[in-house]
Amino acid sequence: MSDAWKANKVLKYKPLPVSFSLDDPTLDYMNLLGIIFRMYSLLLKLKWCAWRAVYCSFISLAKHMSSFMPSISAVVTSYLQHPQLMTPFW
Amino acid sequence: MKASLAFCVVLLVFGSVSEAKFDDFEDEEDIVEYDDNDFAEFEDVTEDSVTESPQRVITTEDDEDETTVELEGQDENQEGDFEDADTQEGDTESEPYDDEEFEGYEDKPDTSSSKNKDPITIVDVPAHLQNSWESYYLEILMVTGLLAYIMNYIIGKNKNSRLAQAWFNTHRELLESNFTLVGDDGTNKEATSTGKLNQENEHIYNLWCSGRVCCEGMLIQLRFLKRQDLLNVLARMMRPVSDQVQIKVTMNDEDMDTYVFAVGTRKALVRLQKEMQDLSEFCSDKPKSGAKYGLPDSLAILSEMGEVTEGMMDTKMVHFLTHYADKIESVHFSDQFSGPKIMQEEGQPLKLPDTKRTLLFTFNVPGSGNTYPKDMEALLPLMNMVIYSIDKAKKFRLNREGKQKADKNRARVEENFLKLTHVQRQEAAQSRREEKKRAEKERIMNEEDPEKQRRLEEAALRREQKKLEKKQMKMKQIKVKAM
């Protein structure tokens, strides 16, 4: 078993550079959607947009932690401005 | 005597004053009017005061005739002022109820009845002011969805972690027997064997192994499904996908010959041929069936030359590929591996990409997504295949013809690349020359000593003249050859 070993040929691990895999575009799109929904909810005072922004930030949470708190604040702000309940589309 | 005289004088004075006051009035009636006129200013202010004040005046004078007249006048005045309303003073004395008293009240019942005809609209209390949770059903739905996503995140992440740990526990012994270093996260200055998987994110785990004959190192990447993402879980319900184990062995330059070879599922090979630089350049033919070598129909072969296929497909390799065909996605051996094709914005890259002698393996974890920790044991024989392939690659050597063919292929690829990039390389060379000239001019300008400046300028001029002469000579030679 030890015949296969070569202690003097041990190389250090080099972390791979950030690869552009298929996962990254999805997370980036989710982050972008979250920003758009957040802006719409604050400007047009649409509660459902604020909730969608929260969902998008959850999905892209692993990569973009920065979008989580602004989405939560968008929901809170929309409810403070208009305490009326959210109405369904139908 | 004198006091009595003074008192008489005072009386006289007072009397004269009062007489002077009443000089204008000849009759007693005038006096009364005057008295009335004294209070005339109060007549319009209030009726009570008007009514009361003359009565007071009248009572004090005790003139019955005058009092009755004035009282009647007051009554007339009151009636004149209150045309619509009945006075109670005169009527109350005669009757307890007067019909005229209620004259104006006939309309009032009519108005109240008209009001009854108008429907009373009772407006509902706004929903957000109601004290009921039922009206918040949409918000409750949203929060429930978020909670479901969070629960799925926790469960998915834990499952991936358990699967990774199960894989490592199964393969630890084999890896530690073949490599000096098992598990290095790259944070320390020197290579340190941590003996643990390196978690890149919730669904990707890395393991670096090094310190073995023939190879520089081996990077194992466990690419699990994104079980922590609810959207991904729902998408997988439509299209089942398997977890994958990707192994990349970096060989030493002296331990691998020059060839490009791949075997795997037809679909995977077609995709790799499009994506990978070396497979697209050196294996331009379509994937061929491996039935000739005893492989199942599901597997196909991409090879640079027949000799490589013959050399690779020995008994043991065929045994591995046949028995574990359902778990094998692709096996790729290449001395020209440089990763996927890079499309730069400028067009073709100016330089050939760096290549490395690499063995790549992609295995599918059994279960098609519904994987359990015990399924990781089924991958152990595949790791044995990897170790065998490393030793095989070291031993396999091309014969002379194969080597010549391989060298020819590499030269051809390089030449094609240079042709494609000829124009761009020329432009790059031109820009480099211009930059050199500019730098030289700047140096001359910055030179303070005028003599030195002059000498540098002369040297630059001489160099340019030499270049021009060389060019002219070349043109002449070309013309002579053409003739």
Side-chain angles (χ1 to χ4, degrees):
Chain A
M1 282 193 187
S2 59
D3 292 343
W5 283 19
K6 266 288 192 195
N8 60 338
K9 281 222 166 184
V10 171
L11 289 174
K12 194 185 152 201
Y13 170 59
K14 286 177 199 170
L16 293 168
V18 177
S19 60
F20 295 96
S21 64
L22 289 170
D23 297 339
D24 287 340
T26 311
L27 292 176
D28 288 335
Y29 293 148
M30 281 296 149
N31 192 37
L32 183 65
L33 267 177
I35 292 168
I36 291 168
F37 277 131
R38 218 160 44 234
M39 295 306 296
Y40 272 121
S41 73
L42 290 171
L43 291 171
L44 303 177
K45 299 175 177 90
L46 296 171
K47 288 193 179 59
W48 64 267
C49 280
W51 282 108
R52 296 290 181 280
V54 172
Y55 272 96
C56 290
S57 67
F58 262 83
I59 292 166
S60 64
L61 185 63
K63 199 175 174 189
H64 301 283
M65 284 287 287
S66 57
S67 64
F68 182 63
M69 283 314 296
S71 302
I72 298 288
S73 67
V75 170
V76 170
T77 308
S78 64
Y79 274 93
L80 283 173
Q81 284 177 350
H82 293 276
Q84 291 88 359
L85 298 168
M86 196 164 64
T87 54
F89 302 114
W90 52 92
Chain B
M1 283 298 283
K2 285 183 183 180
S4 61
L5 274 171
F7 183 69
C8 291
V9 167
V10 165
L11 278 172
L12 279 168
V13 166
F14 185 72
S16 63
V17 165
S18 60
E19 281 177 2
K21 204 176 175 183
F22 291 103
D23 277 341
D24 296 332
F25 303 102
E26 295 176 358
D27 297 331
E28 289 180 350
E29 291 179 357
D30 293 333
I31 292 168
V32 172
E33 286 177 10
Y34 177 75
D35 287 337
D36 286 341
N37 285 334
D38 277 341
F39 300 95
E41 59 186 74
F42 301 106
E43 281 180 6
D44 293 332
V45 175
T46 52
E47 291 170 5
D48 292 337
S49 60
V50 169
T51 53
E52 285 174 5
S53 54
Q55 285 174 358
R56 277 192 232 118
V57 171
I58 290 161
T59 50
T60 50
E61 288 182 0
D62 294 328
D63 195 345
E64 291 180 3
D65 294 335
E66 288 173 1
T67 54
T68 55
V69 169
E70 285 178 10
L71 279 169
E72 286 176 359
Q74 285 175 11
D75 289 336
E76 287 175 357
N77 286 334
Q78 283 177 0
E79 287 178 359
D81 290 335
F82 300 102
E83 291 178 354
D84 295 331
D86 294 329
T87 55
Q88 294 180 4
E89 292 175 3
D91 295 331
T92 48
E93 291 177 0
S94 59
E95 295 175 1
Y97 292 105
D98 188 6
D99 293 333
E100 293 177 356
E101 190 177 353
F102 298 100
E103 278 179 7
Y105 290 97
E106 288 175 0
D107 297 331
K108 285 182 186 176
D110 294 331
T111 55
S112 62
S113 64
S114 66
K115 277 184 187 174
N116 284 331
K117 288 178 188 173
D118 295 334
I120 297 168
T121 54
I122 298 168
V123 180
D124 290 334
V125 176
H128 68 280
L129 296 175
Q130 294 175 10
N131 288 327
S132 68
W133 288 104
E134 290 172 358
S135 44
Y136 289 92
Y137 71 97
L138 273 173
E139 278 77 8
I140 290 168
L141 265 174
M142 290 290 174
V143 172
T144 309
L146 283 176
L147 285 172
Y149 191 92
I150 292 166
M151 289 300 295
N152 181 73
Y153 179 87
I154 295 165
I155 292 168
K157 188 180 163 190
N158 285 341
K159 182 154 188 193
N160 281 346
S161 175
R162 277 186 281 118
L163 289 174
Q165 203 54 46
W167 180 91
F168 186 58
N169 293 337
T170 312
H171 293 74
R172 184 200 293 264
E173 202 179 318
L174 178 64
L175 292 170
E176 284 177 350
S177 64
N178 279 280
F179 293 91
T180 316
L181 173 85
V182 173
D184 179 23
D185 52 8
T187 52
N188 298 327
K189 282 184 183 177
E190 291 178 5
T192 316
S193 183
T194 58
K196 283 191 291 185
L197 287 167
N198 181 27
Q199 185 177 359
E200 197 173 301
N201 53 39
E202 284 82 8
H203 64 286
I204 296 177
Y205 292 80
N206 294 335
L207 184 72
W208 172 253
C209 303
S210 184
R212 195 189 189 276
V213 293
C214 318
C215 64
E216 290 179 1
M218 178 170 77
L219 178 66
I220 302 168
Q221 203 171 53
L222 305 176
R223 300 183 74 88
F224 294 116
L225 301 170
K226 292 173 83 175
R227 292 182 173 85
Q228 75 278 6
D229 182 18
L230 189 60
L231 286 181
N232 203 270
V233 168
L234 295 170
R236 273 193 292 115
M237 287 179 184
M238 316 288 183
R239 195 168 61 97
V241 186
S242 297
D243 300 300
Q244 280 191 339
V245 177
Q246 291 182 354
I247 300 169
K248 183 179 173 184
V249 181
T250 313
M251 300 289 287
N252 296 324
D253 290 343
E254 63 274 12
D255 289 323
M256 185 175 167
D257 214 342
T258 55
Y259 53 87
V260 177
F261 172 78
V263 62
T265 59
R266 203 169 283 273
K267 197 178 169 186
L269 287 184
V270 167
R271 183 176 50 82
L272 284 173
Q273 200 174 29
K274 280 182 194 169
E275 287 176 7
M276 293 298 169
Q277 183 88 19
D278 55 344
L279 283 174
S280 65
E281 285 172 350
F282 295 96
C283 306
S284 51
D285 295 335
K286 282 183 185 176
K288 291 174 189 167
S289 172
K292 186 181 165 185
Y293 303 98
L295 295 178
D297 293 333
S298 59
L299 297 179
I301 296 172
L302 267 177
S303 179
E304 190 181 351
M305 54 191 105
E307 186 190 336
V308 176
T309 315
E310 297 282 339
M312 281 293 140
M313 292 291 111
D314 61 354
T315 318
K316 204 163 181 186
M317 190 62 93
V318 169
H319 171 80
F320 275 124
L321 292 171
T322 311
H323 277 79
Y324 307 107
D326 57 332
K327 298 181 191 67
I328 293 171
E329 174 86 0
S330 66
V331 175
H332 179 192
F333 300 162
S334 173
D335 71 309
Q336 295 287 314
F337 181 75
S338 59
K341 287 182 189 174
I342 301 168
M343 295 305 294
Q344 291 184 359
E345 291 172 0
E346 298 162 353
Q348 288 286 337
L350 293 176
K351 211 175 70 171
L352 268 171
D354 293 331
T355 58
K356 209 86 176 100
R357 292 168 203 264
T358 315
L359 309 181
L360 292 136
F361 303 84
T362 306
F363 302 131
N364 294 325
V365 177
S368 296
N370 297 324
T371 316
Y372 296 97
K374 63 183 181 197
D375 294 332
M376 294 301 171
E377 294 171 3
L379 296 174
L380 189 59
L382 292 168
M383 188 54 69
N384 285 322
M385 186 181 105
V386 170
I387 304 296
Y388 174 77
S389 301
I390 294 170
D391 295 329
K392 175 84 183 168
K394 178 178 165 49
K395 290 175 196 168
F396 178 71
R397 287 283 182 260
L398 292 167
N399 58 18
R400 202 174 59 175
E401 280 176 16
K403 190 78 182 150
Q404 280 177 356
K405 204 173 175 184
D407 292 339
K408 206 174 161 183
N409 285 339
R410 276 140 191 78
R412 173 181 52 83
V413 166
E414 199 175 335
E415 197 183 326
N416 289 340
F417 180 80
L418 289 172
K419 275 182 189 172
L420 281 168
T421 57
H422 176 71
V423 172
Q424 278 145 7
R425 279 186 294 112
Q426 267 192 333
E427 282 174 8
Q430 181 71 22
S431 62
R432 260 184 272 127
R433 260 181 262 133
E434 280 173 9
E435 268 187 52
K436 250 186 178 177
K437 272 187 189 173
R438 217 179 298 133
E440 217 178 297
K441 276 183 186 171
E442 270 185 48
R443 201 162 50 91
I444 293 167
M445 295 297 287
N446 291 336
E447 196 60 56
E448 290 178 358
D449 191 4
E451 273 214 26
K452 249 191 179 177
Q453 211 177 42
R454 193 172 47 83
R455 259 182 262 148
L456 284 167
E457 278 179 12
E458 281 175 5
L461 268 167
R462 261 183 266 134
R463 260 184 260 128
E464 277 186 42
Q465 275 178 353
K466 272 187 186 174
K467 276 184 187 172
L468 273 167
E469 282 174 12
K470 267 188 185 175
K471 268 188 183 175
Q472 283 170 359
M473 285 293 290
K474 270 187 183 174
M475 292 298 289
K476 279 182 185 175
Q477 281 174 4
I478 290 166
K479 277 182 184 174
V480 166
K481 276 184 184 175
M483 284 168 64

